[in-house]
Amino acid sequence: MKKVKDVVNRNLITVSPSSSFEEVINIMKKGVGKVPVLENEKVVGIITRDDILVKEGKFPLPPVIAFWEVMITLPGNKEYQEKLNKFSSYKVEDIMSKVKMYSSLEDNLEDVVTEMLNKKISYTLVLENEKLVGIVTKSDLIKHF
């Protein structure tokens, strides 16, 4: 019988509530979709790609002007700059969400996956002695099996 410890991803990148939006974006550009938020070594939240995309609508893109078949972006546009500055001023604590599920290393993997499916979530944070030791995501499960 497989346990969470058999598939847990221990290569965690975490941030603090006061970390910048830019820091989170740079982490996610490396392919990390879920970033736990720690304060004094305790989990206080998580940031997912959805938290960023849904917070204030989608991340702003510069307006585009099309002349026949030529497209010109206008990154200096005032409205775009205001939206970009607003996004850039966010701190992690402004966009993080509550963790929806925790597991332990010794939990039965089948039970954990069933709970993830029932709750319609794509991750569980793994704790040992109340400390974060890893994460299990749907991607981790696919890689393992």
Side-chain angles (χ1 to χ4, degrees):
M1 180 179 307
K2 293 234 182 237
K3 304 243 182 222
V4 167
K5 68 181 176 186
D6 298 322
V7 299
V8 66
N9 179 349
R10 293 178 183 263
N11 297 324
L12 289 173
I13 298 174
T14 64
V15 293
S16 74
S18 62
S19 296
S20 70
F21 176 77
E22 184 177 357
E23 185 178 340
V24 173
I25 291 296
N26 288 332
I27 291 168
M28 289 189 170
K29 282 180 182 177
K30 296 174 185 171
V32 177
K34 290 152 189 63
V35 182
V37 182
L38 301 182
E39 187 169 47
N40 300 322
E41 297 186 23
K42 296 254 185 214
V43 177
V44 294
I46 191 165
I47 294 185
T48 66
R49 289 183 180 124
D50 287 344
D51 294 323
I52 290 173
L53 295 174
V54 179
K55 178 65 182 174
E56 291 284 333
K58 294 198 184 248
F59 189 79
L61 297 173
V64 174
I65 294 179
F67 292 108
W68 293 282
E69 295 179 14
V70 177
M71 306 278 281
I72 301 170
T73 60
L74 303 171
N77 176 276
K78 184 179 177 183
E79 182 181 351
Y80 165 72
Q81 286 297 323
E82 287 171 2
K83 286 181 180 179
L84 185 61
N85 289 340
K86 183 177 180 180
F87 262 81
S88 297
S89 69
Y90 284 138
K91 297 287 181 198
V92 165
E93 62 194 355
D94 299 324
I95 56 177
M96 69 184 189
S97 55
K98 291 182 180 180
V99 176
K100 296 178 182 164
M101 187 172 163
Y102 294 98
S103 300
S104 74
L105 291 169
E106 293 301 319
D107 284 346
N108 178 310
L109 186 59
E110 185 177 327
D111 294 341
V112 169
V113 171
T114 299
E115 187 176 349
M116 287 169 64
L117 292 171
N118 288 339
K119 289 183 173 183
K120 297 181 175 151
I121 58 175
S122 60
Y123 71 91
T124 181
L125 292 185
V126 182
L127 303 178
E128 185 174 41
N129 299 322
E130 298 184 21
K131 295 217 179 204
L132 182 65
V133 295
I135 188 169
V136 176
T137 66
K138 286 182 180 177
S139 298
D140 295 323
L141 293 168
I142 290 168
K143 284 176 194 172
H144 183 75
F145 295 106

